[in-house]
Every structure is written in structure tokens, then in C-alpha cells.
Amino acid sequence: MIDSAERLERRQRRLALVLIAPAVLLILMIYVIPMVLVLLASFTDYSLVSNGYDWIGLDNYLRMLEDEQFGNALRNTVVYALVFLPGAFFIPLFLAIAIQSQKRFRSAFEIVYFMPVTSTLTAMALVWSALMDSRQGILNNVLTAAGLPPINFLGSPDVVLYSLAGISLWSIIGFNMVLFLAGLTAIPSRLYDAADIDGASHPVDRFLSVTWPMLAPTSLFVAVTSSITAFKLFDVVAILTQGKPAHASEVFLYLTFLEGFEYFNMGYSAALSVVFLGVIFLFALVQTLLADRTVYR
């Protein structure tokens, strides 16, 4: 009887291994093996225009310390993230709270704000390029009509990062707003009734005592995903500015693309990719650990 049970258990175990094998193989082929190959390539001088390559150790990583373009791209990425992240968090939160209190036209507002999420950012970037045109763009026509000087949104080194941040915000606000709306809907109404009994009847008091603490898990998710989105900026830059003017919009991921597919320095590009993955991982890990102490304590 015992042998029969053991045989059945071994059979079930083998069946489980057979069932999960395709998924494990797929993960290895799509994620693990390419990451290992990129890591190995980062220690070589591999180039697309040479027949062979040599193992150069940490030279690619040491090169970053002296590379002015790397420092410029890192600085541009940080500036862009500092502009993008507050807007990607607080604007959707404000819109979600405002829409949730609406008894009429709530669905219409949700559709309007979520519509940019369904659009292809590549195509809409071209539309934004026309809107921001320094000569015939609608935005500059509005500014001129209001008596303000025109702005070279995509051609001025001082403005281009803010313009790109505005386009990215337009594309993500609806998505984050829906996440906040889901979090707000999950808050039990009895908590607001209890807050009223305790004297927290003012909207600000209700927000601070009930809404904000109960939205903490949703806020954490929105903050982490928005941070990763900020550091992944590439497509809008590739379509609209190509790092111009004067490298003012050359961000980290676009520099990685240039090194690999424009200058053919695949080894150095792989090293940049490894650093990029490390920064994203550490940023998300620290943010999650710090938030966990606040959210789940």
C-alpha cells in the first residue's frame, strides 16, 4: 500500500515536471539566455564591423567613467524622470478622485482620459511633432494669439526634455488614472462613515485619514511602474529628436542604441545595457522595500 502511494507520488511529480518544462524552456530562451549573452558580450570588444573579438574584462565599464556622452545621457535621463514622475503620479490621482465623485458622465470622462493609452505612441508622436512645430504648430499659434512668444518645443536644448516629458505624460495619465480608480472603488464606504463620526468630515481630512492610507498598495504599484517607464524612454526620442539638439535629448537607452546599431560598438552597448538593467533593478528594489515598510507595517 505504501509502495503504491509512493509510486503515485513519483508519477505525479514527473507529470508536474513535464507540464512546467515548456514554460521553463520558454523563459530560459526569452529572458535568461539573452541576459547571460549580453553580460558576456559586455566583457568583450565585440563589434559588428570586425570578424572576431577579444576578452577585455572591465574596460567597457571603466570607459563609461570617462565617456562624456554617457554622463550627458545619464543626466538627461535623470532630469526627464524628475519632470515626468511627479506628473505621472499626482495628475492621475487628482483626476481619479475628481471622476469618482462624478455621478453623471463618469464613463465618458474615463473613456476620454483613457483614449491616449489605446493609441500607438509612435503615430501620436508624429501628431505631437506637428502640434509642436516651431513655425506652424497649433501650440505656438495659441501662444502667439495670447501675446506670448513662440517656443521651439523640440528644437531648443532648454525645452526639449520638458516637451518629451509632456508627450509621455499624455500617454500614461489615463492608464495610471484607471489604476487609482480601481483602488478608490475598493475602499469600503464604512471607513468614510467612521471618519465622519470621528470628526474627519472635511475632504482633506477624509483623504489623509482614509483615502491615502488605503491607496498605498496602488500608489506603490503606480510609482514603481512609472519609474521604470521614465527610465525606458526611447521611442519618442528616436522618432522626434534623435538626441538633438546638441545631444540635449540623448537619454540613456537611446545612447545604448546609438553605440550598438549606429557606431557598431556592441560590447560597449552591452555594458550600457547591463548598467541600465542594474539601475532599474536597484531602483525598483529600494523603492519597493521602503514602501513595504510604510504600506504593510
Side-chain angles (χ1 to χ4, degrees):
M1 188 68 179
I2 295 177
D3 292 341
S4 176
E6 289 179 352
R7 282 197 297 273
L8 177 62
E9 184 179 353
R10 284 198 296 270
R11 200 174 303 149
Q12 290 176 337
R13 200 174 300 166
R14 285 196 294 270
L15 177 62
L17 292 175
V18 170
L19 292 176
I20 66 172
V24 172
L25 183 63
L26 198 62
I27 292 173
L28 286 175
M29 292 178 62
I30 294 178
Y31 295 107
V32 179
I33 293 177
M35 289 176 66
V36 172
L37 292 177
V38 169
L39 180 62
L40 293 176
S42 70
F43 297 112
T44 69
D45 62 351
Y46 176 57
S47 171
L48 290 179
V49 295
S50 63
N51 295 326
Y53 58 88
D54 294 321
W55 186 269
I56 60 173
L58 297 174
D59 285 1
N60 283 327
Y61 294 94
L62 296 176
R63 175 183 167 184
M64 294 180 200
L65 301 177
E66 301 175 352
D67 188 353
E68 293 183 359
Q69 282 190 304
F70 170 75
N72 174 68
L74 190 62
R75 182 171 54 255
N76 289 339
T77 304
V78 172
V79 171
Y80 169 85
L82 291 176
V83 176
F84 173 81
L85 287 177
F89 186 89
F90 290 108
I91 295 176
L93 176 60
F94 173 80
L95 291 176
I97 294 174
I99 289 178
Q100 193 203 23
S101 61
Q102 295 292 324
K103 299 188 181 301
R104 301 177 60 185
F105 307 117
R106 173 175 170 169
S107 298
F109 284 123
E110 291 177 356
I111 293 173
V112 169
Y113 285 116
F114 192 75
M115 195 172 295
V117 182
T118 64
S119 306
T120 304
L121 186 58
T122 302
M124 295 312 299
L126 297 176
V127 175
W128 276 104
S129 176
L131 294 175
M132 291 181 170
D133 188 86
S134 59
R135 297 178 180 176
Q136 300 176 347
I138 294 177
L139 295 181
N140 270 322
N141 290 339
V142 172
L143 291 176
T144 305
L148 299 173
I151 299 175
N152 193 354
F153 290 100
L154 299 175
S156 171
D158 299 326
V159 179
V160 63
L161 280 178
Y162 301 99
S163 302
L164 296 176
I167 296 173
S168 299
L169 280 175
W170 170 84
S171 68
I172 200 175
I173 280 177
F175 180 74
N176 287 349
M177 184 198 71
V178 170
L179 294 177
F180 279 124
L181 273 176
L184 289 171
T185 306
I187 299 176
S189 59
R190 65 177 182 276
L191 294 181
Y192 291 107
D193 297 336
D196 290 337
I197 294 174
D198 291 340
S201 56
H202 193 274
V204 176
D205 296 331
R206 289 162 62 91
F207 175 80
L208 295 177
S209 60
V210 178
T211 306
W212 182 249
M214 294 300 295
L215 272 182
T218 306
S219 301
L220 169 64
F221 180 78
V222 171
V224 172
T225 55
S226 298
S227 302
I228 294 175
T229 301
F231 284 100
K232 285 169 55 182
L233 176 66
F234 173 79
D235 43 7
V236 180
V237 174
I239 296 168
L240 296 184
T241 64
Q242 296 85 43
K244 302 172 184 175
H247 304 285
S249 63
E250 195 171 276
V251 292
F252 194 97
L253 213 52
Y254 190 73
L255 175 64
T256 305
F257 165 77
L258 289 179
E259 290 290 345
F261 298 99
E262 293 287 336
Y263 311 144
F264 306 131
N265 299 322
M266 297 303 292
Y268 188 52
S269 178
L272 289 171
S273 300
V274 172
V275 172
F276 174 75
L277 289 175
V279 170
I280 291 293
F281 176 76
L282 288 177
F283 189 83
L285 180 64
V286 170
Q287 194 173 23
T288 302
L289 292 176
L290 292 177
D292 279 349
R293 294 181 181 179
T294 305
V295 175
Y296 301 110
R297 67 183 179 182

